[in-house]
Amino acid sequence: MAEAFWLIPLIPGAGALVLLLFGSRMPRRWVSWQSTLAVLASFVLSAAGFARLVRAGPDAPALAKTLLPWIASGSFVAEFAFSFDRLSAVMALVVTGVGLLIHVYSVGYMAGDKAYARYFAYLNLFMFFMLVLVTASDIVLMFIGWEGVGLCSYLLIGFWFDRPAAAKAGLKAFVVNRVGDAAFIVGLLFLLTAVGDPSFAAINAAPAAGLVGPGLATLAAVLLFVGATGKSAQIPLYVWLPDAMEGPTPVSALIHAATMVTAGVYMVSRLGGLFAASPAASAVVAWTGGLTAVFAATVALVQTDIKRVLAYSTISQIGYMFLGCGVGACAAGMFHLFTHAFFKSLLFLAAGSVIHALGGEQDMRRMGGLRKRLPVTFPAFLVGAMAIAGVPFLSGFFSKDAILTSAFAGGHYVLYGLGLAGAVLTAFYVFRMVFLTFYGEPRAAGAHPRVRESPPVMTVPLVILAALSALAGLAGLPVLLGGRADLFGRFLEGVVVRTAHRLAASSEVLLILAAAASALAGIYLAFVFYRGSPALPARSAARFPRLYRLLTGKYYVDEAYEAAIVRPLVRGAELVYRRFDLEVVDGALNASAAAARGAGQGLNTVQSGLLRDYALAFLLGVVIFLGALLL
Amino acid sequence: MAWAVFIVLSVLCVGAVAAMIVSRNQAHNALFLVLAFASLGGLFGLLDAPFAAAVQVLVYAGAIMVLFLFAIMMFNLRRPAPREKKTLRAALAAGLGTVLFVELVLAARKALAGSVPTGAPGGIEGLGRLLFTDYLYAFEITSLLILAALVGALALAGKKEDA
Amino acid sequence: MIPPPAFLFLAVLLFGLGVLAFFVKKDLLTQFMAVEIMLNAGNLAFLSLAKAFGRAEGQALVLFVITVAAAEAVVGLAIIVVVFRQRRSLRTDELKDLKG
């Protein structure tokens, strides 16, 4: 069965095609089953491939399959070729596993929507492109997946396109991603001209083989990483992700938390050989990640929309992943990607359940006291919150610790400090969310009299994800517990680049204690602020009004972009429109139209309408033509 | 013997076309055309192209001419076509036609310049092989063309519901 | 054994007669027949050249020409039928609707 791994992307792809063509005429029940079963099939195939790779041992070659030749131009050849190695296996399992749960959840969440089939068609299409992205064996095919998930993201953010905010958010996501992708393409072309072979193996081997010098490696890697900052919402191109929350909540969970936004991390891990060849590019990755982690966390502190908090939290957590990759610990970054997929989609889905129960309310200031009303959602959300905050022994604790330990061991003390600060902030804003939403008195008394728990089709995925969020960390226990403990890291040993730094056991214990302390400190602070003395948040906001305004204004980055980039562009376009389009282009068009009209009126007299005259002209033409041929 | 057949057939053919030019009865014209096509079929046979000869007789002398005759019956033109008047246009056409004729003769000579008299151009087997290898796409596309012509003719000439 | 040039000359002659017929005649139907004669002259030329060069390609092309001619005859006659239904006439000196 593992040989059929190339069907992993194709099954949801075929499903999407069927749904796009015939979905609107199918019964809803059929749509739900078809789309979910397609993802289930991919999941089973991924699991089979994973099992094969585990059995084959670390040195076995990846599964490979070439479907069709695609571009063959001189010596450059790109093919529709898939490969399935250990990195792909992890990604495919995460994508199909979380995707499967989210498909199930969506059956409940979208039950009342009028465009039910369109939603599942897009969701299946997204699975197709995402799986192409992670199983492509060369960078050109990966780029198809990369663009495809961007398209699906756009379609799904703007799924309720009759809401202007949603349509605008979709457009923003698309345009911002274009900026990143332009850089990505330029980097790609640099690489392809130098290497001449788009396969990942060739690109990763190129620096060592001398095909790519250090300067070019830095240039190409940084350009590719700019693409990643767009897709994975890092500074400076993160601005689209908070707005992307206009899409349906399961979409936010799947695309804008668990899978698509982590594509950049996957790409950096996949091209580990290239990034490792350029310390400068690695530093850019690490610093971007570290700064984003703290920056987004500070914004998340004051947001009031539950989904926006989660969006900034996602930006911040992906920052951690890049931080890990940048300091040469891609395995740790991938591990955080793995655990984050579970707890962040859990948080999103639980938030979706809350929103669903409150009839669309997203503002935390009008929630509160839902602990008793939502007996399944609350514990699930709490598990997710503890996991992301890094409460010891839950998954987020281990993965975040792995990244921070690697940063410390690699001598990046400032980055380590940033990460630790981010961890405190993370714990704080997540538990602020818990306290505001589930504790205290219902603040919109009477507004939501009939708050009811969501149906099982939504809560069962929550329970499964909660279990995974709690336990996934066991896949990558700290090396401290013995060399064999870090199953995850050892599984990826041969596939991703890893700079091994060994720390003394004592310092590692200290680091783990520091991580645990930072998590607990954040939670304690949140408790003090939002449970201990309810007046404290308002008082501190009043004490530091400028800081507070800066944070609620999200550092005014959107406004800055608007003023510095968007408005000059629009104004310039207007100028071009007035000066060039209206005068030059339209003028030329009108002139040529007038010329054609004149010529037509002149030639009109030739048209006698008599067949014989036309035939005569024809004969004359033949005679001239033949004469020319003979001469 | 071959020469005799050739001469008889060419005279029949050219004569039939000439008669068609002279005659003003459409039904007669169609019958002359059948004669011309049939004798052309014989000429094809003389040129070692038996398959083309058979198709010529079946398709032209058979199908296409039946089509013409049906059309003529439908029109049921009682009065014969009027006599042609000689005009400037006719003179121009005659001049150009003569030039064309000369040019064609020259072209024919030029075309034959490099010919090597080898034997027969290959039997039906070779023709079939050619049709299903080198000309396969063209061959398949002609089937589409025929289908399109069929549909087009029905759409054009078929009885309209409002007519 | 008749030399191919004889056939080729016959083809040219037939083509010329076809052109002549097309210009002399004034009813659409006979002019259409003249077109068919020209097509056939072309076929004859193809076949004689096939013979002259000893290659089967000319014969293959003849088959295509016949097929296309059949399709063309069907559509052409259909058009003529439509024209006749609307005008009750097939005289090309009376059909002037294409006048600009």
Side-chain angles (χ1 to χ4, degrees):
Chain A
M1 195 148 92
E3 277 75 29
F5 79 93
W6 49 278
L7 285 173
I8 293 172
L10 298 188
I11 295 173
L17 200 63
V18 171
L19 285 179
L20 281 174
L21 290 177
F22 309 113
S24 54
R25 268 167 262 159
M26 289 174 172
R28 287 187 171 218
R29 189 177 285 268
W30 176 274
V31 171
S32 330
W33 278 104
Q34 191 206 307
S35 55
T36 311
L37 286 179
V39 181
L40 178 66
S42 292
F43 177 68
V44 171
L45 283 174
S46 307
F50 175 76
R52 163 71 64 90
L53 289 174
V54 170
R55 251 182 290 126
D59 299 323
L63 299 168
K65 169 90 181 173
T66 303
L67 282 189
L68 288 171
W70 176 29
I71 304 171
S73 163
S75 63
F76 177 79
V77 176
E79 287 169 320
F80 286 110
F82 297 100
S83 74
F84 196 78
D85 65 356
R86 294 179 158 215
L87 189 57
S88 299
V90 170
M91 287 301 288
L93 274 180
V94 169
V95 170
T96 54
V98 175
L100 179 63
L101 293 173
I102 286 172
H103 271 73
V104 173
Y105 179 93
S106 299
V107 171
Y109 192 84
M110 300 299 287
D113 201 274
K114 57 184 189 298
Y116 192 73
R118 181 164 61 90
Y119 173 81
F120 278 98
Y122 290 167
L123 220 51
N124 264 205
L125 191 65
F126 169 76
M127 296 301 285
F128 166 69
F129 281 124
M130 190 68 205
L131 290 166
V132 166
L133 198 163
V134 300
T135 56
S137 75
D138 66 54
I139 195 166
V140 181
L141 186 58
M142 188 193 90
F143 189 63
I144 295 190
W146 182 275
E147 288 296 311
V149 290
L151 167 71
C152 293
S153 157
Y154 162 76
L155 289 173
L156 282 164
I157 293 170
F159 180 72
W160 289 311
F161 52 80
D162 43 3
R163 297 207 308 226
K168 221 176 142 192
L171 195 63
K172 184 169 175 184
F174 207 72
V175 171
V176 172
N177 268 297
R178 288 281 72 65
V179 177
D181 290 345
F184 191 96
I185 291 176
V186 175
L188 191 68
L189 293 179
F190 271 125
L191 264 186
L192 291 183
T193 359
V195 183
D197 181 345
S199 78
F200 289 120
I203 293 173
N204 279 330
L211 285 171
V212 174
L216 182 60
T218 304
L219 182 65
V222 168
L223 283 169
L224 290 177
F225 179 68
V226 172
T229 61
K231 190 107 316 186
S232 296
Q234 298 294 292
I235 294 174
L237 296 177
Y238 69 91
V239 287
W240 62 272
L241 188 63
D243 289 4
M245 297 302 125
E246 291 294 337
T249 306
V251 168
S252 311
L254 177 63
I255 300 183
H256 305 120
T259 55
M260 184 192 84
V261 287
T262 59
V265 182
Y266 169 77
M267 191 268 292
V268 173
S269 307
R270 180 51 94 194
L271 294 175
L274 179 70
F275 280 88
S278 161
S282 292
V284 169
V285 173
W287 278 96
T288 309
L291 288 174
T292 309
V294 175
F295 171 83
T298 55
V299 179
L301 293 177
V302 295
Q303 295 298 308
T304 52
D305 181 318
I306 187 165
K307 283 180 74 180
R308 278 184 182 257
V309 177
L310 289 172
Y312 280 104
S313 155
T314 303
I315 297 172
S316 152
Q317 297 300 311
I318 296 171
Y320 276 104
M321 298 173 205
F322 278 119
L323 172 57
C325 285
V327 298
C330 278
M334 285 301 295
F335 185 43
H336 196 53
L337 187 160
F338 176 72
T339 58
H340 174 258
F342 297 129
F343 58 67
K344 185 51 64 66
S345 52
L346 169 63
L347 286 172
F348 263 113
L349 294 188
S353 178
V354 170
I355 296 167
H356 197 69
L358 297 182
E361 181 58 64
Q362 298 196 7
D363 193 333
M364 290 192 292
R365 285 170 299 193
R366 286 196 287 276
M367 291 180 182
L370 295 171
R371 192 164 33 131
K372 295 268 164 52
R373 302 280 194 84
L374 303 173
V376 183
T377 306
F378 167 62
F381 194 93
L382 192 61
V383 170
M386 294 203 298
I388 190 177
V391 170
F393 311 119
L394 277 86
S395 60
F397 173 70
F398 291 116
S399 55
K400 206 178 293 179
D401 178 59
I403 291 172
L404 293 179
T405 307
S406 305
F408 190 83
H412 307 281
Y413 301 117
V414 182
L415 286 171
Y416 173 78
L418 280 176
L420 208 59
V424 178
L425 295 172
T426 305
F428 181 86
Y429 69 69
V430 165
F431 272 85
R432 167 177 174 263
M433 202 156 58
V434 171
F435 293 136
L436 283 179
T437 309
F438 292 101
Y439 285 85
E441 293 304 309
R443 277 181 293 281
H448 314 293
R450 270 192 295 268
V451 174
R452 218 181 286 150
E453 183 57 286
S454 304
V457 73
M458 287 165 69
T459 51
V460 168
L462 285 183
V463 173
I464 296 173
L465 280 173
L468 286 170
S469 305
L471 301 176
L474 301 180
L477 295 176
V479 187
L480 180 66
L481 302 177
R484 302 187 59 78
D486 185 11
L487 282 175
F488 193 91
R490 281 194 304 126
F491 181 68
L492 290 179
E493 195 87 53
V495 204
V496 300
V497 173
R498 188 176 192 193
T499 337
H501 293 290
R502 282 279 164 272
L503 282 174
S506 56
S507 37
E508 200 161 334
V509 170
L510 274 178
L511 291 179
I512 290 175
L513 287 178
S518 66
L520 296 175
I523 296 173
Y524 175 72
L525 277 176
F527 182 80
V528 168
F529 266 72
Y530 293 95
R531 295 295 297 153
S533 54
L536 195 53
R539 244 189 302 141
S540 30
R543 173 98 54 89
F544 307 104
R546 289 191 130 158
L547 180 66
Y548 183 74
R549 270 209 308 276
L550 192 65
L551 289 182
T552 45
K554 296 164 260 178
Y555 293 97
Y556 301 107
V557 171
D558 272 318
E559 285 76 3
Y561 281 1
E562 173 84 24
I565 299 171
V566 178
R567 231 173 286 150
L569 263 181
V570 170
R571 218 169 288 154
E574 226 172 67
L575 197 73
V576 170
Y577 167 70
R578 247 185 247 123
R579 281 286 131 77
F580 186 73
D581 279 46
L582 282 190
E583 286 170 20
V584 180
V585 176
D586 286 14
L589 197 68
N590 288 339
S592 66
R597 201 182 305 124
Q601 275 160 356
L603 287 173
N604 204 358
T605 48
V606 181
Q607 303 285 327
S608 66
L610 282 175
L611 182 62
R612 201 174 302 209
D613 288 343
Y614 298 123
L616 207 58
F618 186 73
L619 183 62
L620 182 66
V622 172
V623 165
I624 292 171
F625 182 69
L626 205 58
L629 268 186
L630 282 171
L631 294 175
Chain B
M1 176 62 194
W3 272 106
V5 177
F6 173 71
I7 290 169
V8 170
L9 286 176
S10 10
V11 167
L12 269 180
C13 182
V14 172
V17 176
M20 199 190 91
I21 295 176
V22 175
S23 155
R24 277 185 284 121
N25 183 315
Q26 285 176 328
H28 293 178
N29 284 349
L31 290 173
F32 285 133
L33 207 59
V34 174
L35 184 60
F37 286 164
S39 46
L40 266 172
L43 287 167
F44 289 1
L46 278 181
L47 278 167
D48 289 332
F51 188 65
V55 172
Q56 167 80 4
V57 173
L58 278 176
V59 175
Y60 264 116
I64 295 182
M65 289 324 299
V66 169
L67 215 57
F68 267 95
L69 288 171
F70 268 125
I72 291 165
M73 278 173 9
M74 274 181 69
F75 300 143
N76 192 18
L77 296 170
R78 283 191 199 85
R79 57 185 173 132
R83 185 175 293 276
E84 280 79 25
K85 273 176 282 177
K86 290 173 185 61
T87 57
L88 174 69
R89 222 179 255 130
L92 205 57
L96 279 174
T98 316
V99 176
L100 181 70
F101 184 76
V102 174
E103 280 181 349
L104 282 174
V105 172
L106 290 174
R109 285 180 46 156
K110 209 170 176 179
L112 282 167
S115 75
V116 209
T118 51
I124 294 182
E125 193 193 318
L127 179 62
R129 204 168 291 282
L130 208 56
L131 278 182
F132 284 98
T133 53
D134 290 2
Y135 292 106
L136 182 63
Y137 287 125
F139 186 76
E140 295 296 340
I141 290 168
T142 46
S143 58
L144 270 182
L145 174 75
I146 291 177
L147 183 65
L150 185 71
V151 175
L154 273 177
L156 280 170
K159 279 242 173 350
K160 307 277 189 302
E161 270 167 39
D162 52 22
Chain C
M1 182 67 188
I2 306 139
F7 285 98
L8 204 53
F9 179 76
L10 182 63
V12 170
L13 187 65
L14 274 179
F15 193 88
L17 282 175
V19 173
L20 183 65
F22 187 88
F23 280 97
V24 166
K25 292 292 177 181
K26 277 194 177 159
D27 70 309
L28 208 49
L29 207 60
T30 317
Q31 284 181 312
F32 199 52
M33 292 181 196
V35 172
E36 298 292 331
I37 288 175
M38 286 188 257
L39 279 170
N40 264 280
N43 279 348
L44 188 59
F46 268 128
L47 286 178
S48 51
L49 286 168
K51 170 94 171 166
F53 289 88
R55 300 180 57 163
E57 276 89 345
Q59 301 193 350
L61 283 172
V62 166
L63 288 182
F64 289 125
V65 172
I66 292 182
T67 320
V68 173
E72 170 250 7
V74 170
V75 177
L77 282 173
I79 292 173
I80 291 177
V81 167
V82 175
V83 168
F84 183 73
R85 269 201 209 135
Q86 294 194 346
R87 310 280 141 160
R88 315 306 301 173
S89 161
L90 286 179
R91 293 192 44 176
T92 43
D93 47 358
E94 289 171 357
L95 300 170
K96 286 192 179 179
D97 301 79
L98 274 177
K99 181 161 176 55

